[in-house]
Structures are given as structure tokens and as C-alpha cells.
mmCIF file of all heavy atoms in Angstrom:
data_model
loop_
_atom_site.group_PDB
_atom_site.id
_atom_site.type_symbol
_atom_site.label_atom_id
_atom_site.label_comp_id
_atom_site.label_asym_id
_atom_site.label_seq_id
_atom_site.Cartn_x
_atom_site.Cartn_y
_atom_site.Cartn_z
ATOM 1 N N MET N 1176 -24.075 9.216 -1.505
ATOM 2 C CA MET N 1176 -23.996 7.785 -1.319
ATOM 3 C C MET N 1176 -22.463 7.332 -1.287
ATOM 4 O O MET N 1176 -22.127 6.525 -0.589
ATOM 5 C CB MET N 1176 -24.725 7.039 -2.520
ATOM 6 C CG MET N 1176 -24.598 5.534 -2.294
ATOM 7 S SD MET N 1176 -25.667 4.719 -3.395
ATOM 8 C CE MET N 1176 -24.845 3.200 -3.540
ATOM 9 N N ARG N 1177 -21.626 7.904 -2.141
ATOM 10 C CA ARG N 1177 -20.228 7.649 -2.228
ATOM 11 C C ARG N 1177 -19.489 7.835 -0.890
ATOM 12 O O ARG N 1177 -18.746 6.957 -0.416
ATOM 13 C CB ARG N 1177 -19.574 8.239 -3.408
ATOM 14 C CG ARG N 1177 -20.144 7.803 -4.699
ATOM 15 C CD ARG N 1177 -19.509 8.603 -5.835
ATOM 16 N NE ARG N 1177 -20.279 8.200 -7.038
ATOM 17 C CZ ARG N 1177 -20.396 9.001 -8.090
ATOM 18 N NH1 ARG N 1177 -19.715 10.160 -8.142
ATOM 19 N NH2 ARG N 1177 -21.067 8.691 -9.163
ATOM 20 N N GLU N 1178 -19.818 9.037 -0.303
ATOM 21 C CA GLU N 1178 -19.178 9.336 0.885
ATOM 22 C C GLU N 1178 -19.667 8.421 1.997
ATOM 23 O O GLU N 1178 -18.839 8.019 2.857
ATOM 24 C CB GLU N 1178 -19.421 10.731 1.307
ATOM 25 C CG GLU N 1178 -18.734 11.886 0.437
ATOM 26 C CD GLU N 1178 -19.655 12.349 -0.658
ATOM 27 O OE1 GLU N 1178 -20.926 12.235 -0.612
ATOM 28 O OE2 GLU N 1178 -19.072 12.974 -1.561
ATOM 29 N N GLU N 1179 -20.920 8.114 2.057
ATOM 30 C CA GLU N 1179 -21.492 7.288 3.060
ATOM 31 C C GLU N 1179 -20.823 5.928 2.926
ATOM 32 O O GLU N 1179 -20.498 5.251 4.009
ATOM 33 C CB GLU N 1179 -22.933 7.067 2.930
ATOM 34 C CG GLU N 1179 -23.693 8.348 3.244
ATOM 35 C CD GLU N 1179 -25.220 8.298 2.872
ATOM 36 O OE1 GLU N 1179 -25.657 7.220 2.330
ATOM 37 O OE2 GLU N 1179 -25.915 9.300 3.160
ATOM 38 N N LEU N 1180 -20.662 5.233 1.829
ATOM 39 C CA LEU N 1180 -20.041 4.000 1.603
ATOM 40 C C LEU N 1180 -18.557 4.029 2.113
ATOM 41 O O LEU N 1180 -18.157 3.124 2.835
ATOM 42 C CB LEU N 1180 -20.092 3.520 0.118
ATOM 43 C CG LEU N 1180 -19.433 2.121 0.006
ATOM 44 C CD1 LEU N 1180 -20.528 1.190 -0.432
ATOM 45 C CD2 LEU N 1180 -18.287 2.273 -0.915
ATOM 46 N N ALA N 1181 -17.871 5.089 1.687
ATOM 47 C CA ALA N 1181 -16.436 5.167 2.075
ATOM 48 C C ALA N 1181 -16.297 5.229 3.622
ATOM 49 O O ALA N 1181 -15.523 4.581 4.131
ATOM 50 C CB ALA N 1181 -15.808 6.332 1.345
ATOM 51 N N GLU N 1182 -17.117 6.140 4.131
ATOM 52 C CA GLU N 1182 -17.011 6.315 5.646
ATOM 53 C C GLU N 1182 -17.483 5.046 6.363
ATOM 54 O O GLU N 1182 -16.869 4.683 7.433
ATOM 55 C CB GLU N 1182 -17.978 7.505 6.108
ATOM 56 C CG GLU N 1182 -17.306 8.898 5.610
ATOM 57 C CD GLU N 1182 -18.267 9.958 5.737
ATOM 58 O OE1 GLU N 1182 -19.502 9.809 6.231
ATOM 59 O OE2 GLU N 1182 -17.958 11.087 5.345
ATOM 60 N N GLY N 1183 -18.492 4.348 5.841
ATOM 61 C CA GLY N 1183 -18.931 3.150 6.421
ATOM 62 C C GLY N 1183 -17.881 1.971 6.362
ATOM 63 O O GLY N 1183 -17.603 1.350 7.308
ATOM 64 N N MET N 1184 -17.242 1.906 5.172
ATOM 65 C CA MET N 1184 -16.214 0.892 5.169
ATOM 66 C C MET N 1184 -15.033 1.148 6.062
ATOM 67 O O MET N 1184 -14.532 0.260 6.667
ATOM 68 C CB MET N 1184 -15.680 0.809 3.677
ATOM 69 C CG MET N 1184 -16.588 0.034 2.757
ATOM 70 S SD MET N 1184 -15.743 -0.179 1.116
ATOM 71 C CE MET N 1184 -14.600 -1.422 1.455
ATOM 72 N N ILE N 1185 -14.635 2.374 6.133
ATOM 73 C CA ILE N 1185 -13.588 2.791 7.042
ATOM 74 C C ILE N 1185 -13.994 2.523 8.463
ATOM 75 O O ILE N 1185 -13.227 1.939 9.287
ATOM 76 C CB ILE N 1185 -13.210 4.266 6.885
ATOM 77 C CG1 ILE N 1185 -12.575 4.489 5.601
ATOM 78 C CG2 ILE N 1185 -12.247 4.824 8.062
ATOM 79 C CD1 ILE N 1185 -12.497 5.921 5.027
ATOM 80 N N LYS N 1186 -15.128 2.819 8.912
ATOM 81 C CA LYS N 1186 -15.635 2.607 10.278
ATOM 82 C C LYS N 1186 -15.639 1.112 10.548
ATOM 83 O O LYS N 1186 -15.225 0.713 11.711
ATOM 84 C CB LYS N 1186 -17.035 3.259 10.458
ATOM 85 C CG LYS N 1186 -17.626 3.085 11.793
ATOM 86 C CD LYS N 1186 -18.990 3.718 11.900
ATOM 87 C CE LYS N 1186 -19.485 3.479 13.342
ATOM 88 N NZ LYS N 1186 -20.849 4.158 13.518
ATOM 89 N N ILE N 1187 -16.110 0.305 9.638
ATOM 90 C CA ILE N 1187 -16.308 -1.089 9.841
ATOM 91 C C ILE N 1187 -14.877 -1.757 9.937
ATOM 92 O O ILE N 1187 -14.578 -2.699 10.705
ATOM 93 C CB ILE N 1187 -17.141 -1.771 8.792
ATOM 94 C CG1 ILE N 1187 -18.588 -1.361 9.002
ATOM 95 C CG2 ILE N 1187 -16.933 -3.273 8.838
ATOM 96 C CD1 ILE N 1187 -19.409 -1.817 7.886
ATOM 97 N N LEU N 1188 -13.914 -1.366 8.997
ATOM 98 C CA LEU N 1188 -12.620 -2.048 8.930
ATOM 99 C C LEU N 1188 -11.617 -1.458 9.805
ATOM 100 O O LEU N 1188 -10.491 -2.134 10.026
ATOM 101 C CB LEU N 1188 -12.224 -2.036 7.500
ATOM 102 C CG LEU N 1188 -12.976 -2.794 6.484
ATOM 103 C CD1 LEU N 1188 -12.399 -2.502 5.142
ATOM 104 C CD2 LEU N 1188 -12.971 -4.297 6.854
ATOM 105 N N GLN N 1189 -11.826 -0.245 10.452
ATOM 106 C CA GLN N 1189 -10.904 0.382 11.336
ATOM 107 C C GLN N 1189 -10.344 -0.501 12.437
ATOM 108 O O GLN N 1189 -9.117 -0.588 12.623
ATOM 109 C CB GLN N 1189 -11.434 1.783 11.834
ATOM 110 C CG GLN N 1189 -10.433 2.545 12.579
ATOM 111 C CD GLN N 1189 -9.400 3.092 11.605
ATOM 112 O OE1 GLN N 1189 -9.610 3.411 10.483
ATOM 113 N NE2 GLN N 1189 -8.172 3.324 12.017
ATOM 114 N N PRO N 1190 -11.282 -1.232 13.143
ATOM 115 C CA PRO N 1190 -10.725 -2.024 14.209
ATOM 116 C C PRO N 1190 -9.897 -3.287 13.714
ATOM 117 O O PRO N 1190 -9.029 -3.794 14.562
ATOM 118 C CB PRO N 1190 -12.037 -2.733 14.853
ATOM 119 C CG PRO N 1190 -13.121 -1.736 14.429
ATOM 120 C CD PRO N 1190 -12.733 -1.177 13.147
ATOM 121 N N PHE N 1191 -9.958 -3.569 12.507
ATOM 122 C CA PHE N 1191 -9.142 -4.723 11.939
ATOM 123 C C PHE N 1191 -8.031 -4.102 11.012
ATOM 124 O O PHE N 1191 -7.541 -4.843 10.089
ATOM 125 C CB PHE N 1191 -10.117 -5.597 11.095
ATOM 126 C CG PHE N 1191 -11.288 -6.072 11.890
ATOM 127 C CD1 PHE N 1191 -12.476 -5.469 11.729
ATOM 128 C CD2 PHE N 1191 -11.095 -7.059 12.920
ATOM 129 C CE1 PHE N 1191 -13.572 -5.867 12.354
ATOM 130 C CE2 PHE N 1191 -12.188 -7.360 13.614
ATOM 131 C CZ PHE N 1191 -13.457 -6.848 13.360
ATOM 132 N N LYS N 1192 -7.721 -2.933 11.196
ATOM 133 C CA LYS N 1192 -6.771 -2.245 10.286
ATOM 134 C C LYS N 1192 -5.561 -2.952 10.053
ATOM 135 O O LYS N 1192 -4.885 -2.802 8.920
ATOM 136 C CB LYS N 1192 -6.433 -0.864 11.023
ATOM 137 C CG LYS N 1192 -5.518 0.083 10.130
ATOM 138 C CD LYS N 1192 -5.430 1.401 10.858
ATOM 139 C CE LYS N 1192 -4.423 2.264 10.256
ATOM 140 N NZ LYS N 1192 -4.290 3.574 10.798
ATOM 141 N N ASN N 1193 -4.942 -3.749 10.949
ATOM 142 C CA ASN N 1193 -3.691 -4.345 10.765
ATOM 143 C C ASN N 1193 -3.893 -5.753 10.099
ATOM 144 O O ASN N 1193 -2.852 -6.432 9.796
ATOM 145 C CB ASN N 1193 -2.967 -4.565 12.087
ATOM 146 C CG ASN N 1193 -2.584 -3.177 12.754
ATOM 147 O OD1 ASN N 1193 -2.327 -2.283 12.004
ATOM 148 N ND2 ASN N 1193 -2.632 -3.155 14.023
ATOM 149 N N HIS N 1194 -5.103 -6.142 9.880
ATOM 150 C CA HIS N 1194 -5.348 -7.495 9.305
ATOM 151 C C HIS N 1194 -5.502 -7.617 7.882
ATOM 152 O O HIS N 1194 -4.861 -8.370 7.259
ATOM 153 C CB HIS N 1194 -6.438 -8.173 10.106
ATOM 154 C CG HIS N 1194 -6.142 -8.389 11.501
ATOM 155 N ND1 HIS N 1194 -5.253 -9.410 12.006
ATOM 156 C CD2 HIS N 1194 -6.620 -7.793 12.650
ATOM 157 C CE1 HIS N 1194 -5.200 -9.275 13.304
ATOM 158 N NE2 HIS N 1194 -5.949 -8.378 13.684
ATOM 159 N N PRO N 1195 -6.501 -6.787 7.299
ATOM 160 C CA PRO N 1195 -6.579 -6.836 5.852
ATOM 161 C C PRO N 1195 -5.495 -6.048 5.142
ATOM 162 O O PRO N 1195 -5.176 -4.927 5.593
ATOM 163 C CB PRO N 1195 -7.979 -6.222 5.575
ATOM 164 C CG PRO N 1195 -8.214 -5.395 6.754
ATOM 165 C CD PRO N 1195 -7.518 -5.981 7.910
ATOM 166 N N TYR N 1196 -4.848 -6.637 4.160
ATOM 167 C CA TYR N 1196 -3.917 -5.870 3.387
ATOM 168 C C TYR N 1196 -4.443 -5.319 2.055
ATOM 169 O O TYR N 1196 -3.877 -4.404 1.475
ATOM 170 C CB TYR N 1196 -2.673 -6.812 3.057
ATOM 171 C CG TYR N 1196 -2.050 -7.420 4.345
ATOM 172 C CD1 TYR N 1196 -2.377 -8.670 4.768
ATOM 173 C CD2 TYR N 1196 -1.304 -6.530 5.067
ATOM 174 C CE1 TYR N 1196 -1.675 -9.190 5.913
ATOM 175 C CE2 TYR N 1196 -0.723 -7.075 6.305
ATOM 176 C CZ TYR N 1196 -0.976 -8.277 6.713
ATOM 177 O OH TYR N 1196 -0.412 -8.795 7.808
ATOM 178 N N THR N 1197 -5.531 -5.932 1.554
ATOM 179 C CA THR N 1197 -6.086 -5.421 0.321
ATOM 180 C C THR N 1197 -7.636 -5.480 0.437
ATOM 181 O O THR N 1197 -8.192 -6.237 1.295
ATOM 182 C CB THR N 1197 -5.686 -6.291 -0.913
ATOM 183 O OG1 THR N 1197 -6.156 -7.674 -0.795
ATOM 184 C CG2 THR N 1197 -4.190 -6.340 -0.975
ATOM 185 N N VAL N 1198 -8.275 -4.731 -0.459
ATOM 186 C CA VAL N 1198 -9.760 -4.811 -0.607
ATOM 187 C C VAL N 1198 -9.937 -4.965 -2.132
ATOM 188 O O VAL N 1198 -9.385 -4.207 -2.873
ATOM 189 C CB VAL N 1198 -10.470 -3.552 -0.025
ATOM 190 C CG1 VAL N 1198 -11.943 -3.533 -0.413
ATOM 191 C CG2 VAL N 1198 -10.275 -3.479 1.416
ATOM 192 N N THR N 1199 -10.793 -5.843 -2.545
ATOM 193 C CA THR N 1199 -11.200 -5.926 -3.951
ATOM 194 C C THR N 1199 -12.667 -5.750 -4.088
ATOM 195 O O THR N 1199 -13.467 -6.365 -3.392
ATOM 196 C CB THR N 1199 -10.851 -7.310 -4.452
ATOM 197 O OG1 THR N 1199 -9.396 -7.618 -4.304
ATOM 198 C CG2 THR N 1199 -11.173 -7.378 -5.950
ATOM 199 N N SER N 1200 -12.998 -4.854 -5.012
ATOM 200 C CA SER N 1200 -14.429 -4.528 -5.190
ATOM 201 C C SER N 1200 -14.801 -4.666 -6.671
ATOM 202 O O SER N 1200 -13.930 -4.867 -7.532
ATOM 203 C CB SER N 1200 -14.725 -3.121 -4.681
ATOM 204 O OG SER N 1200 -14.226 -2.152 -5.564
ATOM 205 N N ASP N 1201 -16.191 -4.535 -6.861
ATOM 206 C CA ASP N 1201 -16.537 -4.541 -8.281
ATOM 207 C C ASP N 1201 -16.319 -3.127 -8.810
ATOM 208 O O ASP N 1201 -15.705 -2.190 -8.181
ATOM 209 C CB ASP N 1201 -18.062 -4.941 -8.381
ATOM 210 C CG ASP N 1201 -18.940 -4.005 -7.717
ATOM 211 O OD1 ASP N 1201 -18.543 -2.820 -7.307
ATOM 212 O OD2 ASP N 1201 -20.118 -4.345 -7.509
ATOM 213 N N ASN N 1202 -16.660 -2.816 -10.060
ATOM 214 C CA ASN N 1202 -16.337 -1.565 -10.695
ATOM 215 C C ASN N 1202 -17.483 -0.511 -10.550
ATOM 216 O O ASN N 1202 -17.572 0.366 -11.384
ATOM 217 C CB ASN N 1202 -16.104 -1.761 -12.107
ATOM 218 C CG ASN N 1202 -14.775 -2.613 -12.269
ATOM 219 O OD1 ASN N 1202 -13.635 -2.167 -11.697
ATOM 220 N ND2 ASN N 1202 -14.784 -3.717 -13.016
ATOM 221 N N GLY N 1203 -18.336 -0.654 -9.534
ATOM 222 C CA GLY N 1203 -19.462 0.297 -9.383
ATOM 223 C C GLY N 1203 -19.026 1.673 -8.988
ATOM 224 O O GLY N 1203 -17.908 1.924 -8.365
ATOM 225 N N LYS N 1204 -19.886 2.648 -9.297
ATOM 226 C CA LYS N 1204 -19.558 4.031 -9.004
ATOM 227 C C LYS N 1204 -19.510 4.352 -7.491
ATOM 228 O O LYS N 1204 -18.891 5.316 -7.127
ATOM 229 C CB LYS N 1204 -20.737 4.900 -9.639
ATOM 230 C CG LYS N 1204 -20.572 4.873 -11.138
ATOM 231 C CD LYS N 1204 -21.713 5.774 -11.691
ATOM 232 C CE LYS N 1204 -21.722 5.709 -13.223
ATOM 233 N NZ LYS N 1204 -22.815 6.651 -13.788
ATOM 234 N N GLU N 1205 -20.200 3.493 -6.712
ATOM 235 C CA GLU N 1205 -20.121 3.678 -5.277
ATOM 236 C C GLU N 1205 -18.663 3.608 -4.707
ATOM 237 O O GLU N 1205 -18.505 3.982 -3.528
ATOM 238 C CB GLU N 1205 -21.039 2.651 -4.561
ATOM 239 C CG GLU N 1205 -20.668 1.257 -4.753
ATOM 240 C CD GLU N 1205 -21.249 0.511 -5.961
ATOM 241 O OE1 GLU N 1205 -21.733 1.248 -6.854
ATOM 242 O OE2 GLU N 1205 -21.252 -0.665 -5.964
ATOM 243 N N PHE N 1206 -17.803 3.042 -5.441
ATOM 244 C CA PHE N 1206 -16.324 2.943 -4.941
ATOM 245 C C PHE N 1206 -15.543 4.119 -5.499
ATOM 246 O O PHE N 1206 -14.292 3.930 -5.574
ATOM 247 C CB PHE N 1206 -15.794 1.612 -5.204
ATOM 248 C CG PHE N 1206 -16.563 0.504 -4.490
ATOM 249 C CD1 PHE N 1206 -17.293 -0.423 -5.216
ATOM 250 C CD2 PHE N 1206 -16.283 0.292 -3.105
ATOM 251 C CE1 PHE N 1206 -17.911 -1.389 -4.461
ATOM 252 C CE2 PHE N 1206 -16.984 -0.676 -2.371
ATOM 253 C CZ PHE N 1206 -17.835 -1.536 -3.132
ATOM 254 N N ALA N 1207 -16.145 5.139 -5.934
ATOM 255 C CA ALA N 1207 -15.315 6.255 -6.484
ATOM 256 C C ALA N 1207 -14.361 6.919 -5.473
ATOM 257 O O ALA N 1207 -13.320 7.406 -5.843
ATOM 258 C CB ALA N 1207 -16.295 7.350 -6.962
ATOM 259 N N LEU N 1208 -14.619 6.802 -4.195
ATOM 260 C CA LEU N 1208 -13.773 7.301 -3.141
ATOM 261 C C LEU N 1208 -12.777 6.274 -2.653
ATOM 262 O O LEU N 1208 -12.377 6.206 -1.456
ATOM 263 C CB LEU N 1208 -14.504 7.991 -2.086
ATOM 264 C CG LEU N 1208 -15.397 9.081 -2.457
ATOM 265 C CD1 LEU N 1208 -16.309 9.598 -1.303
ATOM 266 C CD2 LEU N 1208 -14.564 10.229 -3.099
ATOM 267 N N HIS N 1209 -12.409 5.258 -3.490
ATOM 268 C CA HIS N 1209 -11.577 4.182 -3.031
ATOM 269 C C HIS N 1209 -10.211 4.706 -2.502
ATOM 270 O O HIS N 1209 -9.684 4.109 -1.620
ATOM 271 C CB HIS N 1209 -11.345 3.169 -4.196
ATOM 272 C CG HIS N 1209 -10.618 3.726 -5.418
ATOM 273 N ND1 HIS N 1209 -9.299 3.761 -5.498
ATOM 274 C CD2 HIS N 1209 -11.127 4.384 -6.435
ATOM 275 C CE1 HIS N 1209 -8.971 4.347 -6.661
ATOM 276 N NE2 HIS N 1209 -10.084 4.818 -7.272
ATOM 277 N N GLN N 1210 -9.673 5.817 -3.035
ATOM 278 C CA GLN N 1210 -8.437 6.381 -2.550
ATOM 279 C C GLN N 1210 -8.522 6.746 -1.065
ATOM 280 O O GLN N 1210 -7.605 6.572 -0.239
ATOM 281 C CB GLN N 1210 -7.937 7.516 -3.408
ATOM 282 C CG GLN N 1210 -7.508 6.949 -4.779
ATOM 283 C CD GLN N 1210 -7.122 8.219 -5.552
ATOM 284 O OE1 GLN N 1210 -7.654 9.282 -5.534
ATOM 285 N NE2 GLN N 1210 -6.052 7.928 -6.453
ATOM 286 N N MET N 1211 -9.633 7.277 -0.704
ATOM 287 C CA MET N 1211 -9.846 7.736 0.659
ATOM 288 C C MET N 1211 -9.968 6.488 1.547
ATOM 289 O O MET N 1211 -9.298 6.516 2.638
ATOM 290 C CB MET N 1211 -11.214 8.428 0.805
ATOM 291 C CG MET N 1211 -11.635 8.930 2.154
ATOM 292 S SD MET N 1211 -13.211 9.870 2.029
ATOM 293 C CE MET N 1211 -14.080 9.152 3.321
ATOM 294 N N ILE N 1212 -10.595 5.371 1.187
ATOM 295 C CA ILE N 1212 -10.615 4.121 1.919
ATOM 296 C C ILE N 1212 -9.200 3.586 2.085
ATOM 297 O O ILE N 1212 -8.682 3.289 3.165
ATOM 298 C CB ILE N 1212 -11.555 3.148 1.287
ATOM 299 C CG1 ILE N 1212 -12.979 3.687 1.250
ATOM 300 C CG2 ILE N 1212 -11.480 1.798 2.004
ATOM 301 C CD1 ILE N 1212 -13.846 2.912 0.337
ATOM 302 N N SER N 1213 -8.442 3.598 0.980
ATOM 303 C CA SER N 1213 -7.172 3.026 0.967
ATOM 304 C C SER N 1213 -6.103 3.784 1.850
ATOM 305 O O SER N 1213 -5.465 3.203 2.573
ATOM 306 C CB SER N 1213 -6.646 3.014 -0.461
ATOM 307 O OG SER N 1213 -5.298 2.546 -0.585
ATOM 308 N N GLU N 1214 -6.136 5.066 1.752
ATOM 309 C CA GLU N 1214 -5.282 5.955 2.560
ATOM 310 C C GLU N 1214 -5.645 5.844 4.062
ATOM 311 O O GLU N 1214 -4.702 5.825 4.904
ATOM 312 C CB GLU N 1214 -5.340 7.375 2.037
ATOM 313 C CG GLU N 1214 -4.676 7.487 0.760
ATOM 314 C CD GLU N 1214 -4.892 8.899 0.097
ATOM 315 O OE1 GLU N 1214 -5.470 9.837 0.864
ATOM 316 O OE2 GLU N 1214 -4.478 9.064 -1.105
ATOM 317 N N SER N 1215 -6.924 5.892 4.349
ATOM 318 C CA SER N 1215 -7.348 5.837 5.727
ATOM 319 C C SER N 1215 -6.938 4.548 6.508
ATOM 320 O O SER N 1215 -6.671 4.673 7.647
ATOM 321 C CB SER N 1215 -8.854 6.018 5.897
ATOM 322 O OG SER N 1215 -9.244 7.232 5.451
ATOM 323 N N LEU N 1216 -7.043 3.478 5.749
ATOM 324 C CA LEU N 1216 -6.764 2.144 6.387
ATOM 325 C C LEU N 1216 -5.327 1.657 6.076
ATOM 326 O O LEU N 1216 -4.866 0.662 6.747
ATOM 327 C CB LEU N 1216 -7.745 1.163 5.878
ATOM 328 C CG LEU N 1216 -9.241 1.451 6.271
ATOM 329 C CD1 LEU N 1216 -10.199 0.412 5.515
ATOM 330 C CD2 LEU N 1216 -9.430 1.351 7.779
ATOM 331 N N GLY N 1217 -4.578 2.313 5.171
ATOM 332 C CA GLY N 1217 -3.225 1.826 4.900
ATOM 333 C C GLY N 1217 -3.282 0.535 4.114
ATOM 334 O O GLY N 1217 -2.404 -0.253 4.381
ATOM 335 N N ILE N 1218 -4.239 0.275 3.206
ATOM 336 C CA ILE N 1218 -4.329 -0.960 2.438
ATOM 337 C C ILE N 1218 -4.475 -0.621 1.051
ATOM 338 O O ILE N 1218 -4.753 0.509 0.568
ATOM 339 C CB ILE N 1218 -5.612 -1.761 2.882
ATOM 340 C CG1 ILE N 1218 -6.885 -1.031 2.738
ATOM 341 C CG2 ILE N 1218 -5.425 -2.217 4.333
ATOM 342 C CD1 ILE N 1218 -8.162 -1.800 3.050
ATOM 343 N N LYS N 1219 -4.222 -1.598 0.172
ATOM 344 C CA LYS N 1219 -4.337 -1.460 -1.241
ATOM 345 C C LYS N 1219 -5.717 -1.716 -1.731
ATOM 346 O O LYS N 1219 -6.357 -2.645 -1.164
ATOM 347 C CB LYS N 1219 -3.366 -2.334 -2.008
ATOM 348 C CG LYS N 1219 -1.869 -1.924 -1.754
ATOM 349 C CD LYS N 1219 -0.897 -2.720 -2.473
ATOM 350 C CE LYS N 1219 0.536 -2.294 -2.252
ATOM 351 N NZ LYS N 1219 1.501 -2.923 -3.065
ATOM 352 N N PHE N 1220 -6.232 -1.029 -2.663
ATOM 353 C CA PHE N 1220 -7.560 -1.308 -3.196
ATOM 354 C C PHE N 1220 -7.459 -1.687 -4.618
ATOM 355 O O PHE N 1220 -6.906 -1.034 -5.432
ATOM 356 C CB PHE N 1220 -8.299 0.133 -3.042
ATOM 357 C CG PHE N 1220 -9.832 -0.085 -3.005
ATOM 358 C CD1 PHE N 1220 -10.370 0.137 -1.796
ATOM 359 C CD2 PHE N 1220 -10.547 -0.279 -4.077
ATOM 360 C CE1 PHE N 1220 -11.753 -0.114 -1.589
ATOM 361 C CE2 PHE N 1220 -11.949 -0.458 -4.054
ATOM 362 C CZ PHE N 1220 -12.540 -0.301 -2.806
ATOM 363 N N TYR N 1221 -8.168 -2.866 -4.846
ATOM 364 C CA TYR N 1221 -8.124 -3.469 -6.331
ATOM 365 C C TYR N 1221 -9.547 -3.477 -6.781
ATOM 366 O O TYR N 1221 -10.479 -3.539 -6.004
ATOM 367 C CB TYR N 1221 -7.527 -4.798 -6.219
ATOM 368 C CG TYR N 1221 -6.037 -4.786 -5.962
ATOM 369 C CD1 TYR N 1221 -5.687 -5.075 -4.631
ATOM 370 C CD2 TYR N 1221 -5.087 -4.536 -6.869
ATOM 371 C CE1 TYR N 1221 -4.218 -5.115 -4.308
ATOM 372 C CE2 TYR N 1221 -3.679 -4.517 -6.619
ATOM 373 C CZ TYR N 1221 -3.383 -4.824 -5.346
ATOM 374 O OH TYR N 1221 -2.043 -4.767 -5.031
ATOM 375 N N PHE N 1222 -9.686 -3.430 -8.101
ATOM 376 C CA PHE N 1222 -10.908 -3.670 -8.760
ATOM 377 C C PHE N 1222 -11.007 -4.890 -9.535
ATOM 378 O O PHE N 1222 -9.989 -5.224 -10.187
ATOM 379 C CB PHE N 1222 -11.316 -2.423 -9.748
ATOM 380 C CG PHE N 1222 -11.508 -1.175 -8.925
ATOM 381 C CD1 PHE N 1222 -10.510 -0.279 -8.712
ATOM 382 C CD2 PHE N 1222 -12.768 -0.934 -8.480
ATOM 383 C CE1 PHE N 1222 -10.725 0.873 -8.054
ATOM 384 C CE2 PHE N 1222 -13.033 0.244 -7.698
ATOM 385 C CZ PHE N 1222 -12.006 1.180 -7.568
ATOM 386 N N ALA N 1223 -12.028 -5.682 -9.400
ATOM 387 C CA ALA N 1223 -12.144 -6.935 -10.178
ATOM 388 C C ALA N 1223 -12.346 -6.618 -11.729
ATOM 389 O O ALA N 1223 -12.958 -5.602 -12.152
ATOM 390 C CB ALA N 1223 -13.398 -7.672 -9.730
ATOM 391 N N HIS N 1224 -11.842 -7.533 -12.515
ATOM 392 C CA HIS N 1224 -12.035 -7.426 -13.975
ATOM 393 C C HIS N 1224 -13.293 -8.132 -14.330
ATOM 394 O O HIS N 1224 -13.555 -9.326 -13.937
ATOM 395 C CB HIS N 1224 -10.823 -8.063 -14.714
ATOM 396 C CG HIS N 1224 -9.569 -7.302 -14.510
ATOM 397 N ND1 HIS N 1224 -9.284 -6.151 -15.151
ATOM 398 C CD2 HIS N 1224 -8.520 -7.594 -13.673
ATOM 399 C CE1 HIS N 1224 -8.061 -5.672 -14.792
ATOM 400 N NE2 HIS N 1224 -7.599 -6.630 -13.927
ATOM 401 N N PRO N 1225 -14.177 -7.499 -15.069
ATOM 402 C CA PRO N 1225 -15.450 -8.098 -15.393
ATOM 403 C C PRO N 1225 -15.220 -9.424 -16.166
ATOM 404 O O PRO N 1225 -14.327 -9.494 -16.984
ATOM 405 C CB PRO N 1225 -16.084 -7.120 -16.412
ATOM 406 C CG PRO N 1225 -15.360 -5.826 -16.140
ATOM 407 C CD PRO N 1225 -14.008 -6.119 -15.668
ATOM 408 N N TYR N 1226 -15.982 -10.390 -15.876
ATOM 409 C CA TYR N 1226 -16.042 -11.732 -16.510
ATOM 410 C C TYR N 1226 -14.892 -12.545 -16.227
ATOM 411 O O TYR N 1226 -14.489 -13.433 -16.929
ATOM 412 C CB TYR N 1226 -16.362 -11.590 -17.958
ATOM 413 C CG TYR N 1226 -17.513 -10.766 -18.255
ATOM 414 C CD1 TYR N 1226 -17.431 -9.514 -18.741
ATOM 415 C CD2 TYR N 1226 -18.706 -11.252 -17.940
ATOM 416 C CE1 TYR N 1226 -18.561 -8.808 -19.061
ATOM 417 C CE2 TYR N 1226 -19.976 -10.466 -18.138
ATOM 418 C CZ TYR N 1226 -19.729 -9.210 -18.777
ATOM 419 O OH TYR N 1226 -20.871 -8.455 -18.931
ATOM 420 N N LYS N 1227 -14.045 -12.186 -15.256
ATOM 421 C CA LYS N 1227 -12.751 -13.000 -14.839
ATOM 422 C C LYS N 1227 -13.172 -13.673 -13.423
ATOM 423 O O LYS N 1227 -13.744 -13.111 -12.542
ATOM 424 C CB LYS N 1227 -11.599 -12.122 -14.684
ATOM 425 C CG LYS N 1227 -11.305 -11.263 -15.904
ATOM 426 C CD LYS N 1227 -10.592 -12.120 -16.876
ATOM 427 C CE LYS N 1227 -10.272 -11.180 -18.046
ATOM 428 N NZ LYS N 1227 -9.600 -11.871 -19.146
ATOM 429 N N SER N 1228 -12.721 -14.876 -13.322
ATOM 430 C CA SER N 1228 -12.984 -15.549 -12.046
ATOM 431 C C SER N 1228 -11.749 -15.345 -11.082
ATOM 432 O O SER N 1228 -10.740 -14.817 -11.436
ATOM 433 C CB SER N 1228 -13.064 -17.015 -12.290
ATOM 434 O OG SER N 1228 -12.040 -17.620 -12.929
#
């Protein structure tokens, strides 16, 4: 599942590679390959802090 999510995010965001500068996600295990996403798209990947707005 982790590889599928990472590959899917890369595929979806690839055409817009020059537009998003960051991605913020929750702390779920599905984002374990966040470094792969970040490196492939050249963007920074952040995680939300629980219970913070």
C-alpha cells in the first residue's frame, strides 16, 4: 500500500511539478515513503502536528 500511495502521488503531481512547493500530510503509515515523493517531485514534505490547527 505504501508504494502504491507514493507512486500514485508522484503520478498525479508530476504534471504540476513546478507549482507545489510543499506537501503536508497526516502522520499515517501510508506516508512512510515520503522521501521518495519529495525527491521525485523536488518538493518538501511536512507532517501535521496532532491537535494543532
Side-chain angles (χ1 to χ4, degrees):
M1176 178 171 155
R1177 294 174 190 157
E1178 289 100 13
E1179 291 172 356
L1180 181 115
E1182 291 169 358
M1184 282 188 71
I1185 292 167
K1186 183 178 178 180
I1187 289 170
L1188 294 174
Q1189 191 69 36
F1191 308 102
K1192 184 175 168 175
N1193 297 326
H1194 298 287
Y1196 299 105
T1197 64
V1198 171
T1199 303
S1200 73
D1201 62 13
N1202 294 306
K1204 293 180 183 179
E1205 62 272 15
F1206 295 107
L1208 297 177
H1209 62 91
Q1210 289 177 326
M1211 180 175 130
I1212 299 166
S1213 178
E1214 290 172 5
S1215 294
L1216 298 172
I1218 59 175
K1219 294 183 180 185
F1220 205 102
Y1221 294 98
F1222 291 96
H1224 293 284
Y1226 310 106
K1227 305 281 183 180
S1228 57

